[in-house]
Amino acid sequence: MSRFVIKNIENREQSEGAGAKVRRSIGTGQLRNLDPFLMLDEFNSGEPAGFPDHPHRGFETVTYLLSGKFEHEDFCGHRGVIEAGDLQWMTAGRGIVHSEMPIGKERSHGLQLWINLAKEYKMVEPSYQELKDSQIPRKSENGVHVKVIAGESMGIESPVYTRTPTMYLDFKLEKGASFTQAVPTDWNAFIFILSGSGLFGAINKLVKGDAHYTLVLSPGDSVHFKNEQSELLHFVLIAGKPLNEPVVQHGPFVMNTQEEIYKTFSDYQNGKNGFERAPGWRSKGIE
Ligand SMILES: Nc1ccc(F)c(C(=O)c2c[nH]c3ncc(Cl)cc23)c1F
Ligand SMILES: [Fe+3]
C-alpha cells in the first residue's frame, strides 16, 4: 500500500550555534520526534558563524554537505574537512566533544540529521563513517538522479552501516520525471524539499510540496513522486525503524531516563565514562 502525505510543515529559519542560521524540520514543536529521528537542520552559514566546541552522547549525527566546506575536529584529535557532496556519519555513542565550523568565504550549506541510538548502543565507543562525494553510490535513470547515502534505491546500496536501520536518499528529478521508491512498511518516513516543487504520496492522492517544507508520510511500502515544473526538484527521502524506547533529551544528550541524563552531565563535567578528554579541551581551529 502506497504512503501518502499526512503532515506538510514549513521549515522556518532560526538562529543556532554561534551566529549560524538553520531551517529546523524534525525537532520543532510541530515535529518534536519522529522516532528514531531527533532533529534535522538545514544549515546555511559562512565564516565566522558555526557550531563551536560542544558535546554529544547517546545518538548519531549525520552531516551531509551540499555546498561549501566544513572543518570538524573532536577531542580525540580526529579532524578533517568535509566538502560539497561529502558525508560524515558520526556515532557519538558514549561521548564526543567536537567543533563543526564552515571554512572559506563560500557559505556552507548542508543537512545535519540526528538519529537516536537504541539503549544497547547509546554507550558504544564513538566512531565515524566518512564518505567523499565520489564514494557515495548513485544512479540516474529517465530524469531521476539518486545518491544513496544509506539504504537502497534503483538496485544501488550504500556501504554505510546503520545501527538504527535508516534509509537516506538524495533525489533530483528533472521536469517530467517520476519515480516510486520502496520504503520498509513499518518505518517512519518523511521528505525534506531543498529546492523546486513536486507532487508526492500515493499516485491517486498526490500532494504538492514546496522548497523548505517537510512532508511526513503515512505508513506504507512505497512512495511516489513526480516533477511537473521546469525547475529541478531536489529533496531527501529519509526513513528509519522506530526504536520504541523512552526519549529523555537535554540538548546534545539523549538517553532513556532522567537519571541517565544527570549521570551524563556529571560524566561530562568530571571527565568520566567516555568524556575523559572533555575537561579543558578546546578545538584548535584552522591551522
Ligand atoms: N547542543 C547543541 C546546541 C546548539 C547547536 F547548534 C548544536 C549543533 O551542533 C547543531 C545544531 N544544528 C546543527 N546543524 C549543523 C551542524 Cl554542523 C551542527 C548543528 C548542538 F549540538
Ligand atoms: Fe555536533
Side-chain angles (χ1 to χ4, degrees), residues 54 56 61 90 98 100 112:
H54 60 276
H56 293 286
T61 67
M90 182 183 82
H98 71 165
E100 303 163 284
Q112 185 167 97

Side-chain angles (χ1 to χ4, degrees), residues 16-17 24 39 41 43 51 54 56 70 100 112 114 251-252:
E16 189 54 278
R24 183 154 294 166
M39 186 196 83
D41 274 357
F43 56 88
F51 307 93
H54 60 276
H56 293 286
F70 229 79
E100 303 163 284
Q112 185 167 97
W114 289 8

